Amino acid sequence: MLPESVRIVEVGARDGLQNLPTPASVEVRAQLVNMLAQSGLRHIETGSFVSPKYVPQMAGSDQVFQSVEKKNGVVYAALTPNLRGMEDALSSGADEAAVFASASEGFSQKNINCSIAESLKRFEPVMALAQQHNIPVRGYVSCIISCPYDGITAPLQVAEVTRELYQMGCYEVSLGDTIGTGTPVKVKKVLEACTKDVPMEHLAAHFHNTYGQALANIYASLEEGLSVVDSAVAGLGGCPYAPGASGNVATEDVLYLMEGLNIKTGVAMDKLLEAATFICGQLGIESRSNAGLALGA
Ligand code: HMG
Ligand code: MG
């Protein structure tokens, strides 16, 4: 049975903008977040506190957090790779943080410059600091299907990292098909492996749409009982450390699917399209959302 409602976690202002050839300004980033909140999205990744040498596009995330007009009931979340990142997130007023690990060693090294085991160790003090400040922490696992450096990922390897993040206190673990190579049966196998240790209600789907499979994979995940979906307005994005990876599944496409399935999200399509038009106009790019393009035509 499909869920009655789905929580959409909007990652466009972080995952979407982190891979742009030219960084978006603080003003544009804050305006995007405000417009996303106006559409009814209740969970918005607003920036990341990572090294600007690695990801210059996310520099100034502190200013983005401070410029946003905070709306009641909206969670403004930040990516935090280490203690310094968590300290910066706290002082910027983020409501929530996210630590990110990989299920494959190659991506872990390239993305955060350490092994999987080292990253999990590094997250311990990050979790402790968040706990002291009552800040919920989400976890990400990248490369749940395959890795641009190591090839195919075994579902058991995904399950292991997912369990570690959950046991260290992440309230939810988002499963990242970073390079979008997943197809429904493969995704179901990963979910099956992960739910041996972590209940489905603590898992989320974070699917990039590189091979056009994200919506099929989301539908397959809903069939398994998952009800939290990450997506990016206009299908923006990609990861700088995953060459060739294209954007996240577009929020407009996810919303269109949910509306068609009578699944509640609380998001209004017209306002979401306004946010998409705004950011694509600012960046001088065309939306990667099929529903968005069709509805805007
Ligand atoms: P490192 O080089 O091992 O760390 O990087 P370090 O401690 O040696 O620091 C190196 C430099 O970075 C130093 O500066 C630090 O001060 C600075 P320097 O002395 O050379 O001038 N630094 C920082 N600056 C700002 N904020 C910080 C911070 N920490 C250190 N928090 C590190 C390790 C984790 C910092 C680095 O590898 C990094 O920032 N990586 C982030 C990469 C990233 O953001 N990737 C994209 C997000 S993940 C993603 O997109 C996947 C996801 O969407 C799920 C999916 O799709 O799979 C989540
Ligand atoms: Mg991602």
Side-chain angles (χ1 to χ4, degrees):
M1 227 183 42
L2 298 175
E4 274 180 24
S5 65
V6 155
R7 174 157 55 86
I8 297 180
V9 177
E10 171 60 48
V11 298
R14 192 278 303 170
D15 209 345
L17 300 185
Q18 74 182 7
N19 203 28
L20 292 175
T22 325
S25 69
V26 165
E27 292 72 27
V28 166
R29 289 156 67 189
Q31 172 75 11
L32 172 63
V33 170
N34 288 338
M35 292 181 85
L36 292 168
Q38 288 302 332
S39 78
L41 286 158
R42 288 286 164 269
H43 204 144
I44 303 177
E45 260 187 8
T46 301
S48 67
F49 295 98
V50 300
S51 163
K53 284 193 185 137
Y54 283 72
V55 187
Q57 294 89 338
M58 286 291 107
S61 284
D62 52 341
Q63 296 166 55
V64 177
F65 271 94
Q66 280 147 17
S67 311
V68 159
E69 290 159 27
K70 290 268 181 90
K71 206 164 173 272
N72 266 345
V74 177
V75 172
Y76 297 89
L79 225 58
T80 53
N82 53 18
L83 204 48
R84 154 110 188 255
M86 180 61 78
E87 285 162 359
D88 291 349
L90 289 169
S91 62
S92 302
D95 301 314
E96 185 179 297
V99 293
F100 48 107
S102 173
S104 65
E105 289 293 349
F107 186 77
S108 185
Q109 289 293 350
K110 289 275 196 268
N111 194 40
I112 50 176
N113 199 27
C114 63
S115 69
I116 300 169
E118 284 163 343
S119 72
L120 296 171
K121 195 86 201 132
R122 186 183 282 173
F123 298 152
E124 283 170 13
V126 181
M127 299 299 298
L129 183 61
Q131 236 156 30
Q132 271 173 37
H133 291 264
N134 265 325
I135 294 282
V137 182
R138 209 173 185 236
Y140 279 104
V141 182
S142 287
C143 300
I144 64 155
I145 304 289
S146 62
C147 167
Y149 309 103
D150 298 351
I152 291 168
T153 309
L156 271 181
Q157 180 68 18
V158 183
E160 214 174 291
V161 180
T162 300
R163 185 188 63 233
E164 295 273 356
L165 289 173
Y166 181 64
Q167 285 179 348
M168 83 171 56
C170 292
Y171 76 90
E172 182 171 287
V173 181
S174 182
L175 301 172
D177 182 7
T178 315
I179 53 174
T181 51
T183 44
V185 173
K186 288 183 185 166
V187 165
K188 285 189 178 194
K189 284 192 175 138
V190 171
L191 288 173
E192 194 188 321
C194 291
T195 48
K196 293 218 158 67
D197 302 305
V198 180
M200 190 68 86
E201 57 267 33
H202 296 284
L203 296 176
H206 179 102
F207 299 154
H208 286 257
N209 199 33
T210 318
Y211 290 81
Q213 303 300 303
L215 282 183
N217 293 337
I218 288 169
Y219 187 76
S221 306
L222 297 182
E223 283 187 321
E224 298 302 300
L226 186 132
S227 63
V228 184
V229 175
D230 300 0
S231 60
V233 64
L236 292 173
C239 175
Y241 294 97
S246 74
N248 294 84
V249 63
T251 309
E252 300 91 305
D253 294 348
V254 172
L255 183 57
Y256 187 83
L257 174 65
M258 298 309 153
E259 285 176 349
L261 295 170
N262 258 328
I263 293 175
K264 294 187 197 73
T265 61
V267 182
M269 183 68 91
D270 55 342
K271 294 283 177 201
L272 185 59
L273 291 175
E274 283 175 21
T277 303
F278 166 76
I279 193 61
C280 289
Q282 289 293 327
L283 301 175
I285 58 169
E286 181 151 300
S287 168
R288 288 208 195 116
S289 163
N290 288 317
L293 288 171
L295 291 167

